[in-house]
Amino acid sequence: MKQLDQQVARRLTRFYVMALTVIAVLSVSGLLFIRRTISTHYADSRVVNVAGRQRMLSQRLTKLAVLRTTGLSSADTVSFDSLLHSWSQTHMQLRNGILAMEQAYMVRKSATLDSMFTRIEPAFRSIYKSFIRINNPQTTPADQQKALQIILKDEPAFLQQMNDIVFQFDTESFGRVKQLERIEWILTIATLLTLVIEGLFIFRPVVNYTKLIIHRLDRSEKTLQLVNRDLDVANRELAATNQNLAASNRKLVDTQQELLRTTEEKYQLQLAEDTVRSAALLEGQEEERRRFARELHDGIGQMLTGLKLHAEKLKSVSFPDEKHRLRFAELCDMIADTIQTTRQVSYNLMPSTLSDFGLGPTLQLLAEQTTRSAGIDVLFEGNRDGERLSPAMEIGLYRIAQEALHNAIKYAEAKTIQINLQQNPDKLVLLVSDNGKGFSVKTPSKVDKPLPMVNGLENMRTRSRLLNGELTIVSKPKKGTTVTVTVNLS
């Protein structure tokens, strides 16, 4: 019996697949054919409209030619040249079989249309040449009158033949639509015939077989009811056991939730402590840099400046030996280089332009100084007169840009670096990108633990997190690196 059921099932499945495949093929074929015919019919409609427009354009050109020849004014402001170019170009496209509008349309022509275009060509050429002569400023009035007479003589024949061409286009398009209707009827009849065959040879055997299965299921149901009574008693005992297990599970879940809550509170407390510690370390670091920069500028810098002034006074003293004069000149140059280096170190420790002019001008100055010192192109784009930020935010963003620039020069071996600063009332975006050799970016941990400042990248991440910003690093080997800091100002 089991083998018989499998044989019947396989046979019915095969019949179903065959019937449904035939219906699907017929339906899809009909849809594809109708879609293709509708597309071509739309192209035919565009061709008919354009061909009909040719008659209007020729009449309009004739009117403008009469007005230009007689010297009368007209309210028609269209350019004669553009109108003539459009008329002649459309005629050649219709004749050649490709109509260029918002897209290229295929002009489907029969042998009749080809012969009609051949017959209309002499009249078109005669009218077109006459229009050219009238439009030529060097043509004499007498030649313009002759050209106008030619236009008035040949235009009726051109309009009549163009009218026949339009009707021939329309007739052929209508014939293609009728052909589509006939094919639709054939596909519909084939689909209906397939459904009738499926009903006779597939659905009827399925109905008979279903009746047999239902009869067998009815007998099995009575046996199943007796078994269900026994199972009902066992289910009641199992339900009581499940209730006891559920009570135990609830207690276990409550204990786990309490443990998770305690762990989360401990983690948040540790995160807050680490954040405060990192902020304090960075603030102390910046304060120490500020103090050291002030000491360099006000202490050593002033002493070096005084030394330079004393040395400048000694330049007027004549030296008995030329070697002594050269050594003194080298000493003066060395003092000047030392002053410049001291000023640069003081500026790098704490740039004075940051507090005086803001983040934008300071980043621009950083790009210019790096270009001079490193010998590579460093470009700055962005807001130079944006709204001032808090001192902590300005120094934090400046340090991130400084660190990204340092990494690009030292490790990436970049040839071009671009710094971009975009600021609006709601958001600030700082971007540093280079064309260096790049590196593989490791996927950050899902747990947002505070990052120790052991290298430049972690230092930038820590500063971004303390500014309530988001740091994104995009890099691939040999594809360059892009560092983006986004701070929500609202």
Side-chain angles (χ1 to χ4, degrees), residues 272-306:
E273 291 177 353
D274 291 339
T275 301
V276 172
R277 188 181 300 109
S278 299
L281 287 174
L282 288 176
E283 180 64 25
Q285 185 183 65
E286 294 300 334
E287 181 62 29
E288 184 64 20
R289 285 178 176 176
R290 190 179 295 108
R291 186 191 64 79
F292 190 54
R294 190 165 51 248
E295 291 292 336
L296 281 176
H297 183 271
D298 297 341
I300 298 176
Q302 296 300 327
M303 288 188 291
L304 289 172
T305 302

PDB file of all heavy atoms in Angstrom, residues 272-306:
ATOM      1  N   ALA A 272      32.870  54.959  34.531  1.00  0.00           N
ATOM      2  CA  ALA A 272      32.861  56.373  34.907  1.00  0.00           C
ATOM      3  C   ALA A 272      34.179  56.769  35.580  1.00  0.00           C
ATOM      4  O   ALA A 272      34.725  57.850  35.310  1.00  0.00           O
ATOM      5  CB  ALA A 272      31.689  56.653  35.833  1.00  0.00           C
ATOM      6  N   GLU A 273      34.683  55.891  36.439  1.00  0.00           N
ATOM      7  CA  GLU A 273      35.958  56.197  37.094  1.00  0.00           C
ATOM      8  C   GLU A 273      37.092  56.293  36.073  1.00  0.00           C
ATOM      9  O   GLU A 273      37.943  57.196  36.130  1.00  0.00           O
ATOM     10  CB  GLU A 273      36.275  55.113  38.124  1.00  0.00           C
ATOM     11  CG  GLU A 273      35.331  55.125  39.332  1.00  0.00           C
ATOM     12  CD  GLU A 273      35.639  53.992  40.288  1.00  0.00           C
ATOM     13  OE1 GLU A 273      36.497  53.143  39.932  1.00  0.00           O
ATOM     14  OE2 GLU A 273      35.021  53.940  41.377  1.00  0.00           O
ATOM     15  N   ASP A 274      37.111  55.371  35.119  1.00  0.00           N
ATOM     16  CA  ASP A 274      38.166  55.408  34.090  1.00  0.00           C
ATOM     17  C   ASP A 274      38.048  56.646  33.226  1.00  0.00           C
ATOM     18  O   ASP A 274      39.055  57.234  32.803  1.00  0.00           O
ATOM     19  CB  ASP A 274      38.089  54.152  33.223  1.00  0.00           C
ATOM     20  CG  ASP A 274      38.493  52.908  33.987  1.00  0.00           C
ATOM     21  OD1 ASP A 274      39.196  53.056  35.001  1.00  0.00           O
ATOM     22  OD2 ASP A 274      38.094  51.800  33.582  1.00  0.00           O
ATOM     23  N   THR A 275      36.801  57.071  32.928  1.00  0.00           N
ATOM     24  CA  THR A 275      36.605  58.278  32.124  1.00  0.00           C
ATOM     25  C   THR A 275      37.118  59.504  32.855  1.00  0.00           C
ATOM     26  O   THR A 275      37.810  60.361  32.283  1.00  0.00           O
ATOM     27  CB  THR A 275      35.122  58.450  31.789  1.00  0.00           C
ATOM     28  OG1 THR A 275      34.664  57.309  31.067  1.00  0.00           O
ATOM     29  CG2 THR A 275      34.895  59.697  30.942  1.00  0.00           C
ATOM     30  N   VAL A 276      36.793  59.602  34.150  1.00  0.00           N
ATOM     31  CA  VAL A 276      37.268  60.735  34.938  1.00  0.00           C
ATOM     32  C   VAL A 276      38.798  60.716  35.024  1.00  0.00           C
ATOM     33  O   VAL A 276      39.467  61.752  34.924  1.00  0.00           O
ATOM     34  CB  VAL A 276      36.631  60.704  36.346  1.00  0.00           C
ATOM     35  CG1 VAL A 276      37.261  61.765  37.246  1.00  0.00           C
ATOM     36  CG2 VAL A 276      35.131  60.943  36.239  1.00  0.00           C
ATOM     37  N   ARG A 277      39.370  59.517  35.185  1.00  0.00           N
ATOM     38  CA  ARG A 277      40.824  59.404  35.283  1.00  0.00           C
ATOM     39  C   ARG A 277      41.489  59.822  33.965  1.00  0.00           C
ATOM     40  O   ARG A 277      42.493  60.543  33.959  1.00  0.00           O
ATOM     41  CB  ARG A 277      41.208  57.966  35.644  1.00  0.00           C
ATOM     42  CG  ARG A 277      42.700  57.788  35.953  1.00  0.00           C
ATOM     43  CD  ARG A 277      43.024  56.349  36.280  1.00  0.00           C
ATOM     44  NE  ARG A 277      42.287  55.875  37.450  1.00  0.00           N
ATOM     45  CZ  ARG A 277      41.300  55.009  37.397  1.00  0.00           C
ATOM     46  NH1 ARG A 277      40.910  54.508  36.237  1.00  0.00           N
ATOM     47  NH2 ARG A 277      40.671  54.622  38.481  1.00  0.00           N
ATOM     48  N   SER A 278      40.904  59.370  32.847  1.00  0.00           N
ATOM     49  CA  SER A 278      41.474  59.744  31.544  1.00  0.00           C
ATOM     50  C   SER A 278      41.373  61.242  31.322  1.00  0.00           C
ATOM     51  O   SER A 278      42.311  61.876  30.819  1.00  0.00           O
ATOM     52  CB  SER A 278      40.748  58.998  30.421  1.00  0.00           C
ATOM     53  OG  SER A 278      40.899  57.604  30.556  1.00  0.00           O
ATOM     54  N   ALA A 279      40.211  61.830  31.671  1.00  0.00           N
ATOM     55  CA  ALA A 279      40.050  63.272  31.497  1.00  0.00           C
ATOM     56  C   ALA A 279      41.053  64.041  32.355  1.00  0.00           C
ATOM     57  O   ALA A 279      41.633  65.043  31.914  1.00  0.00           O
ATOM     58  CB  ALA A 279      38.618  63.680  31.851  1.00  0.00           C
ATOM     59  N   ALA A 280      41.246  63.571  33.602  1.00  0.00           N
ATOM     60  CA  ALA A 280      42.194  64.256  34.473  1.00  0.00           C
ATOM     61  C   ALA A 280      43.623  64.148  33.945  1.00  0.00           C
ATOM     62  O   ALA A 280      44.396  65.115  33.985  1.00  0.00           O
ATOM     63  CB  ALA A 280      42.112  63.669  35.885  1.00  0.00           C
ATOM     64  N   LEU A 281      43.981  62.959  33.424  1.00  0.00           N
ATOM     65  CA  LEU A 281      45.326  62.793  32.873  1.00  0.00           C
ATOM     66  C   LEU A 281      45.549  63.701  31.669  1.00  0.00           C
ATOM     67  O   LEU A 281      46.597  64.349  31.539  1.00  0.00           O
ATOM     68  CB  LEU A 281      45.536  61.331  32.465  1.00  0.00           C
ATOM     69  CG  LEU A 281      45.708  60.324  33.611  1.00  0.00           C
ATOM     70  CD1 LEU A 281      45.764  58.903  33.066  1.00  0.00           C
ATOM     71  CD2 LEU A 281      46.966  60.633  34.419  1.00  0.00           C
ATOM     72  N   LEU A 282      44.532  63.767  30.765  1.00  0.00           N
ATOM     73  CA  LEU A 282      44.686  64.631  29.584  1.00  0.00           C
ATOM     74  C   LEU A 282      44.736  66.100  29.979  1.00  0.00           C
ATOM     75  O   LEU A 282      45.508  66.881  29.420  1.00  0.00           O
ATOM     76  CB  LEU A 282      43.532  64.385  28.609  1.00  0.00           C
ATOM     77  CG  LEU A 282      43.581  63.058  27.860  1.00  0.00           C
ATOM     78  CD1 LEU A 282      42.338  62.888  26.998  1.00  0.00           C
ATOM     79  CD2 LEU A 282      44.829  62.980  26.987  1.00  0.00           C
ATOM     80  N   GLU A 283      43.914  66.478  30.957  1.00  0.00           N
ATOM     81  CA  GLU A 283      43.907  67.878  31.384  1.00  0.00           C
ATOM     82  C   GLU A 283      45.245  68.246  32.029  1.00  0.00           C
ATOM     83  O   GLU A 283      45.815  69.312  31.787  1.00  0.00           O
ATOM     84  CB  GLU A 283      42.754  68.100  32.380  1.00  0.00           C
ATOM     85  CG  GLU A 283      42.645  69.525  32.888  1.00  0.00           C
ATOM     86  CD  GLU A 283      42.311  70.498  31.777  1.00  0.00           C
ATOM     87  OE1 GLU A 283      41.720  70.052  30.772  1.00  0.00           O
ATOM     88  OE2 GLU A 283      42.642  71.697  31.920  1.00  0.00           O
ATOM     89  N   GLY A 284      45.772  67.325  32.851  1.00  0.00           N
ATOM     90  CA  GLY A 284      47.082  67.591  33.447  1.00  0.00           C
ATOM     91  C   GLY A 284      48.173  67.642  32.401  1.00  0.00           C
ATOM     92  O   GLY A 284      49.091  68.475  32.481  1.00  0.00           O
ATOM     93  N   GLN A 285      48.061  66.778  31.398  1.00  0.00           N
ATOM     94  CA  GLN A 285      49.048  66.785  30.320  1.00  0.00           C
ATOM     95  C   GLN A 285      49.009  68.099  29.558  1.00  0.00           C
ATOM     96  O   GLN A 285      50.051  68.689  29.259  1.00  0.00           O
ATOM     97  CB  GLN A 285      48.775  65.610  29.376  1.00  0.00           C
ATOM     98  CG  GLN A 285      49.808  65.448  28.285  1.00  0.00           C
ATOM     99  CD  GLN A 285      49.435  64.328  27.347  1.00  0.00           C
ATOM    100  OE1 GLN A 285      48.437  64.406  26.652  1.00  0.00           O
ATOM    101  NE2 GLN A 285      50.239  63.266  27.349  1.00  0.00           N
ATOM    102  N   GLU A 286      47.788  68.576  29.234  1.00  0.00           N
ATOM    103  CA  GLU A 286      47.670  69.841  28.500  1.00  0.00           C
ATOM    104  C   GLU A 286      48.144  71.015  29.346  1.00  0.00           C
ATOM    105  O   GLU A 286      48.774  71.953  28.836  1.00  0.00           O
ATOM    106  CB  GLU A 286      46.215  70.061  28.060  1.00  0.00           C
ATOM    107  CG  GLU A 286      45.699  69.071  27.040  1.00  0.00           C
ATOM    108  CD  GLU A 286      46.505  69.104  25.764  1.00  0.00           C
ATOM    109  OE1 GLU A 286      47.101  70.166  25.475  1.00  0.00           O
ATOM    110  OE2 GLU A 286      46.569  68.075  25.070  1.00  0.00           O
ATOM    111  N   GLU A 287      47.863  70.969  30.660  1.00  0.00           N
ATOM    112  CA  GLU A 287      48.303  72.051  31.532  1.00  0.00           C
ATOM    113  C   GLU A 287      49.836  72.078  31.616  1.00  0.00           C
ATOM    114  O   GLU A 287      50.464  73.146  31.613  1.00  0.00           O
ATOM    115  CB  GLU A 287      47.688  71.874  32.921  1.00  0.00           C
ATOM    116  CG  GLU A 287      48.053  72.972  33.907  1.00  0.00           C
ATOM    117  CD  GLU A 287      47.560  74.344  33.451  1.00  0.00           C
ATOM    118  OE1 GLU A 287      46.531  74.396  32.740  1.00  0.00           O
ATOM    119  OE2 GLU A 287      48.202  75.358  33.795  1.00  0.00           O
ATOM    120  N   GLU A 288      50.444  70.895  31.692  1.00  0.00           N
ATOM    121  CA  GLU A 288      51.901  70.835  31.740  1.00  0.00           C
ATOM    122  C   GLU A 288      52.513  71.330  30.431  1.00  0.00           C
ATOM    123  O   GLU A 288      53.520  72.037  30.426  1.00  0.00           O
ATOM    124  CB  GLU A 288      52.346  69.388  32.025  1.00  0.00           C
ATOM    125  CG  GLU A 288      53.847  69.208  32.190  1.00  0.00           C
ATOM    126  CD  GLU A 288      54.397  69.956  33.395  1.00  0.00           C
ATOM    127  OE1 GLU A 288      53.598  70.293  34.310  1.00  0.00           O
ATOM    128  OE2 GLU A 288      55.619  70.204  33.441  1.00  0.00           O
ATOM    129  N   ARG A 289      51.873  70.966  29.312  1.00  0.00           N
ATOM    130  CA  ARG A 289      52.358  71.466  28.028  1.00  0.00           C
ATOM    131  C   ARG A 289      52.230  72.990  27.958  1.00  0.00           C
ATOM    132  O   ARG A 289      53.129  73.672  27.455  1.00  0.00           O
ATOM    133  CB  ARG A 289      51.546  70.838  26.886  1.00  0.00           C
ATOM    134  CG  ARG A 289      51.891  69.385  26.610  1.00  0.00           C
ATOM    135  CD  ARG A 289      51.019  68.854  25.506  1.00  0.00           C
ATOM    136  NE  ARG A 289      51.383  67.492  25.145  1.00  0.00           N
ATOM    137  CZ  ARG A 289      50.732  66.751  24.251  1.00  0.00           C
ATOM    138  NH1 ARG A 289      49.673  67.282  23.646  1.00  0.00           N
ATOM    139  NH2 ARG A 289      51.120  65.528  23.961  1.00  0.00           N
ATOM    140  N   ARG A 290      51.119  73.504  28.441  1.00  0.00           N
ATOM    141  CA  ARG A 290      50.905  74.956  28.433  1.00  0.00           C
ATOM    142  C   ARG A 290      51.970  75.668  29.280  1.00  0.00           C
ATOM    143  O   ARG A 290      52.527  76.701  28.889  1.00  0.00           O
ATOM    144  CB  ARG A 290      49.489  75.251  28.950  1.00  0.00           C
ATOM    145  CG  ARG A 290      49.063  76.705  28.764  1.00  0.00           C
ATOM    146  CD  ARG A 290      47.642  76.920  29.264  1.00  0.00           C
ATOM    147  NE  ARG A 290      46.689  76.173  28.468  1.00  0.00           N
ATOM    148  CZ  ARG A 290      46.030  75.096  28.873  1.00  0.00           C
ATOM    149  NH1 ARG A 290      46.252  74.617  30.094  1.00  0.00           N
ATOM    150  NH2 ARG A 290      45.166  74.490  28.094  1.00  0.00           N
ATOM    151  N   ARG A 291      52.263  75.087  30.477  1.00  0.00           N
ATOM    152  CA  ARG A 291      53.261  75.707  31.349  1.00  0.00           C
ATOM    153  C   ARG A 291      54.653  75.634  30.722  1.00  0.00           C
ATOM    154  O   ARG A 291      55.415  76.612  30.724  1.00  0.00           O
ATOM    155  CB  ARG A 291      53.264  74.993  32.714  1.00  0.00           C
ATOM    156  CG  ARG A 291      54.186  75.658  33.753  1.00  0.00           C
ATOM    157  CD  ARG A 291      54.327  74.756  34.959  1.00  0.00           C
ATOM    158  NE  ARG A 291      54.985  73.503  34.623  1.00  0.00           N
ATOM    159  CZ  ARG A 291      56.306  73.375  34.472  1.00  0.00           C
ATOM    160  NH1 ARG A 291      57.111  74.430  34.641  1.00  0.00           N
ATOM    161  NH2 ARG A 291      56.839  72.204  34.162  1.00  0.00           N
ATOM    162  N   PHE A 292      54.969  74.465  30.142  1.00  0.00           N
ATOM    163  CA  PHE A 292      56.287  74.301  29.537  1.00  0.00           C
ATOM    164  C   PHE A 292      56.444  75.206  28.315  1.00  0.00           C
ATOM    165  O   PHE A 292      57.510  75.797  28.083  1.00  0.00           O
ATOM    166  CB  PHE A 292      56.487  72.829  29.152  1.00  0.00           C
ATOM    167  CG  PHE A 292      57.890  72.509  28.747  1.00  0.00           C
ATOM    168  CD1 PHE A 292      58.974  72.806  29.583  1.00  0.00           C
ATOM    169  CD2 PHE A 292      58.141  71.930  27.516  1.00  0.00           C
ATOM    170  CE1 PHE A 292      60.260  72.502  29.191  1.00  0.00           C
ATOM    171  CE2 PHE A 292      59.438  71.635  27.128  1.00  0.00           C
ATOM    172  CZ  PHE A 292      60.502  71.913  27.971  1.00  0.00           C
ATOM    173  N   ALA A 293      55.379  75.359  27.524  1.00  0.00           N
ATOM    174  CA  ALA A 293      55.439  76.247  26.363  1.00  0.00           C
ATOM    175  C   ALA A 293      55.637  77.686  26.814  1.00  0.00           C
ATOM    176  O   ALA A 293      56.388  78.454  26.188  1.00  0.00           O
ATOM    177  CB  ALA A 293      54.150  76.113  25.544  1.00  0.00           C
ATOM    178  N   ARG A 294      54.981  78.069  27.900  1.00  0.00           N
ATOM    179  CA  ARG A 294      55.145  79.430  28.418  1.00  0.00           C
ATOM    180  C   ARG A 294      56.561  79.658  28.921  1.00  0.00           C
ATOM    181  O   ARG A 294      57.155  80.728  28.711  1.00  0.00           O
ATOM    182  CB  ARG A 294      54.106  79.662  29.530  1.00  0.00           C
ATOM    183  CG  ARG A 294      53.997  81.123  29.986  1.00  0.00           C
ATOM    184  CD  ARG A 294      52.732  81.357  30.797  1.00  0.00           C
ATOM    185  NE  ARG A 294      52.591  80.383  31.871  1.00  0.00           N
ATOM    186  CZ  ARG A 294      51.650  79.460  31.909  1.00  0.00           C
ATOM    187  NH1 ARG A 294      50.766  79.362  30.927  1.00  0.00           N
ATOM    188  NH2 ARG A 294      51.566  78.611  32.922  1.00  0.00           N
ATOM    189  N   GLU A 295      57.121  78.631  29.593  1.00  0.00           N
ATOM    190  CA  GLU A 295      58.486  78.759  30.079  1.00  0.00           C
ATOM    191  C   GLU A 295      59.467  78.892  28.915  1.00  0.00           C
ATOM    192  O   GLU A 295      60.409  79.693  28.962  1.00  0.00           O
ATOM    193  CB  GLU A 295      58.848  77.530  30.929  1.00  0.00           C
ATOM    194  CG  GLU A 295      58.112  77.456  32.262  1.00  0.00           C
ATOM    195  CD  GLU A 295      58.556  78.562  33.210  1.00  0.00           C
ATOM    196  OE1 GLU A 295      59.692  79.067  33.050  1.00  0.00           O
ATOM    197  OE2 GLU A 295      57.765  78.927  34.099  1.00  0.00           O
ATOM    198  N   LEU A 296      59.246  78.084  27.863  1.00  0.00           N
ATOM    199  CA  LEU A 296      60.135  78.174  26.700  1.00  0.00           C
ATOM    200  C   LEU A 296      60.062  79.549  26.052  1.00  0.00           C
ATOM    201  O   LEU A 296      61.072  80.151  25.695  1.00  0.00           O
ATOM    202  CB  LEU A 296      59.765  77.092  25.673  1.00  0.00           C
ATOM    203  CG  LEU A 296      60.253  75.675  25.959  1.00  0.00           C
ATOM    204  CD1 LEU A 296      59.719  74.730  24.898  1.00  0.00           C
ATOM    205  CD2 LEU A 296      61.773  75.616  25.986  1.00  0.00           C
ATOM    206  N   HIS A 297      58.808  80.046  25.903  1.00  0.00           N
ATOM    207  CA  HIS A 297      58.626  81.312  25.187  1.00  0.00           C
ATOM    208  C   HIS A 297      59.106  82.499  26.017  1.00  0.00           C
ATOM    209  O   HIS A 297      59.819  83.390  25.522  1.00  0.00           O
ATOM    210  CB  HIS A 297      57.145  81.465  24.814  1.00  0.00           C
ATOM    211  CG  HIS A 297      56.892  82.701  24.002  1.00  0.00           C
ATOM    212  ND1 HIS A 297      56.607  83.929  24.577  1.00  0.00           N
ATOM    213  CD2 HIS A 297      56.878  82.889  22.662  1.00  0.00           C
ATOM    214  CE1 HIS A 297      56.440  84.819  23.628  1.00  0.00           C
ATOM    215  NE2 HIS A 297      56.584  84.219  22.443  1.00  0.00           N
ATOM    216  N   ASP A 298      58.710  82.523  27.306  1.00  0.00           N
ATOM    217  CA  ASP A 298      59.036  83.690  28.139  1.00  0.00           C
ATOM    218  C   ASP A 298      60.440  83.610  28.752  1.00  0.00           C
ATOM    219  O   ASP A 298      61.026  84.643  29.071  1.00  0.00           O
ATOM    220  CB  ASP A 298      58.009  83.814  29.274  1.00  0.00           C
ATOM    221  CG  ASP A 298      56.614  84.074  28.717  1.00  0.00           C
ATOM    222  OD1 ASP A 298      56.519  84.511  27.544  1.00  0.00           O
ATOM    223  OD2 ASP A 298      55.627  83.812  29.436  1.00  0.00           O
ATOM    224  N   GLY A 299      60.952  82.395  28.937  1.00  0.00           N
ATOM    225  CA  GLY A 299      62.256  82.250  29.587  1.00  0.00           C
ATOM    226  C   GLY A 299      63.379  82.081  28.590  1.00  0.00           C
ATOM    227  O   GLY A 299      64.101  83.029  28.239  1.00  0.00           O
ATOM    228  N   ILE A 300      63.502  80.855  28.089  1.00  0.00           N
ATOM    229  CA  ILE A 300      64.602  80.559  27.173  1.00  0.00           C
ATOM    230  C   ILE A 300      64.492  81.388  25.902  1.00  0.00           C
ATOM    231  O   ILE A 300      65.485  81.875  25.351  1.00  0.00           O
ATOM    232  CB  ILE A 300      64.626  79.056  26.859  1.00  0.00           C
ATOM    233  CG1 ILE A 300      64.860  78.263  28.146  1.00  0.00           C
ATOM    234  CG2 ILE A 300      65.686  78.735  25.827  1.00  0.00           C
ATOM    235  CD1 ILE A 300      64.805  76.771  27.955  1.00  0.00           C
ATOM    236  N   GLY A 301      63.252  81.575  25.415  1.00  0.00           N
ATOM    237  CA  GLY A 301      63.076  82.352  24.193  1.00  0.00           C
ATOM    238  C   GLY A 301      63.557  83.778  24.358  1.00  0.00           C
ATOM    239  O   GLY A 301      64.225  84.333  23.471  1.00  0.00           O
ATOM    240  N   GLN A 302      63.243  84.416  25.488  1.00  0.00           N
ATOM    241  CA  GLN A 302      63.681  85.800  25.703  1.00  0.00           C
ATOM    242  C   GLN A 302      65.201  85.887  25.852  1.00  0.00           C
ATOM    243  O   GLN A 302      65.845  86.830  25.361  1.00  0.00           O
ATOM    244  CB  GLN A 302      62.991  86.358  26.960  1.00  0.00           C
ATOM    245  CG  GLN A 302      61.470  86.462  26.843  1.00  0.00           C
ATOM    246  CD  GLN A 302      61.062  87.378  25.718  1.00  0.00           C
ATOM    247  OE1 GLN A 302      61.756  88.366  25.417  1.00  0.00           O
ATOM    248  NE2 GLN A 302      59.949  87.058  25.070  1.00  0.00           N
ATOM    249  N   MET A 303      65.772  84.890  26.562  1.00  0.00           N
ATOM    250  CA  MET A 303      67.218  84.908  26.719  1.00  0.00           C
ATOM    251  C   MET A 303      67.925  84.727  25.380  1.00  0.00           C
ATOM    252  O   MET A 303      68.921  85.387  25.084  1.00  0.00           O
ATOM    253  CB  MET A 303      67.636  83.807  27.699  1.00  0.00           C
ATOM    254  CG  MET A 303      67.270  84.119  29.151  1.00  0.00           C
ATOM    255  SD  MET A 303      67.968  82.926  30.326  1.00  0.00           S
ATOM    256  CE  MET A 303      67.023  81.489  29.918  1.00  0.00           C
ATOM    257  N   LEU A 304      67.405  83.852  24.544  1.00  0.00           N
ATOM    258  CA  LEU A 304      68.000  83.667  23.220  1.00  0.00           C
ATOM    259  C   LEU A 304      67.850  84.916  22.370  1.00  0.00           C
ATOM    260  O   LEU A 304      68.750  85.273  21.597  1.00  0.00           O
ATOM    261  CB  LEU A 304      67.340  82.473  22.518  1.00  0.00           C
ATOM    262  CG  LEU A 304      67.689  81.086  23.083  1.00  0.00           C
ATOM    263  CD1 LEU A 304      66.826  80.017  22.419  1.00  0.00           C
ATOM    264  CD2 LEU A 304      69.170  80.790  22.868  1.00  0.00           C
ATOM    265  N   THR A 305      66.716  85.597  22.506  1.00  0.00           N
ATOM    266  CA  THR A 305      66.518  86.840  21.754  1.00  0.00           C
ATOM    267  C   THR A 305      67.535  87.891  22.200  1.00  0.00           C
ATOM    268  O   THR A 305      68.112  88.637  21.393  1.00  0.00           O
ATOM    269  CB  THR A 305      65.089  87.354  21.952  1.00  0.00           C
ATOM    270  OG1 THR A 305      64.182  86.345  21.526  1.00  0.00           O
ATOM    271  CG2 THR A 305      64.850  88.611  21.140  1.00  0.00           C
ATOM    272  N   GLY A 306      67.762  87.984  23.545  1.00  0.00           N
ATOM    273  CA  GLY A 306      68.770  88.935  24.035  1.00  0.00           C
ATOM    274  C   GLY A 306      70.157  88.575  23.532  1.00  0.00           C
ATOM    275  O   GLY A 306      70.951  89.447  23.160  1.00  0.00           O
TER     276      GLY A 306
END
